[in-house]
Amino acid sequence: MKIFSFGKDHAHPISNFGSKDAFFTRMVKHDNTVHLGCVHIGQGGNLGAHEAPVDQLFIVIQGKGWVSGKEGVAYEIQAGYAAFWEAGEVHSSRSEQGMTAMILESSGLLPQMNEINWREQ
């Protein structure tokens, strides 16, 4: 599993078009069919361990929780961060307080965000 940050602190300022206090983070590059979904995990809820059918980017947009991948280690994740699982990787997620995430699915996803070295935290 890889963990990425897409928060403002890793974004590039946008100054063209008369923009003010605007920032952009390129999140992913792809050349294949893409599916985008939204998952809501309630308080004390979870998505049980399952194999990713294709590469998946789990983009937390609200709340916080835990994600795990092939390493078998739970990582606390919150809004502004994303987990990436490769096709075939067994993974799961859960939340004590509730969490909402967008899930981008496609083969050959190439995350473009800053990777967090979460194994050393």
Side-chain angles (χ1 to χ4, degrees):
M1 172 174 71
K2 295 180 181 180
I3 300 293
F4 297 93
S5 171
F6 60 92
K8 182 179 174 184
D9 54 333
H10 292 114
H12 300 284
I14 302 169
S15 58
N16 50 347
F17 316 116
S19 303
K20 179 181 177 184
D21 198 23
F23 301 85
F24 176 78
T25 301
R26 185 172 308 280
M27 296 184 68
V28 70
K29 179 181 178 181
H30 69 87
D31 293 323
N32 299 312
T33 300
V34 172
H35 296 115
L36 179 64
C38 183
V39 62
H40 304 273
I41 300 174
Q43 291 181 348
N46 73 294
L47 280 172
H50 61 286
E51 192 174 295
V54 294
D55 295 341
Q56 294 183 335
L57 188 63
F58 185 88
I59 307 161
V60 181
I61 57 172
Q62 184 177 25
K64 67 180 184 176
W66 298 86
V67 291
S68 64
K70 63 186 170 200
E71 300 82 6
V73 177
Y75 175 82
E76 188 172 10
I77 196 166
Q78 63 185 356
Y81 288 83
F84 176 71
W85 297 295
E86 296 175 339
E89 186 171 357
V90 175
H91 63 284
S92 63
S93 54
R94 63 184 166 86
S95 180
E96 296 304 317
Q97 69 180 40
M99 176 169 60
T100 301
M102 302 300 290
I103 300 177
L104 184 65
E105 299 178 314
S106 182
S107 31
L109 286 181
L110 299 171
Q112 304 288 295
M113 300 162 283
N114 291 328
E115 185 175 353
I116 304 300
N117 194 350
W118 63 276
R119 292 169 201 91
E120 294 181 4
Q121 293 183 0

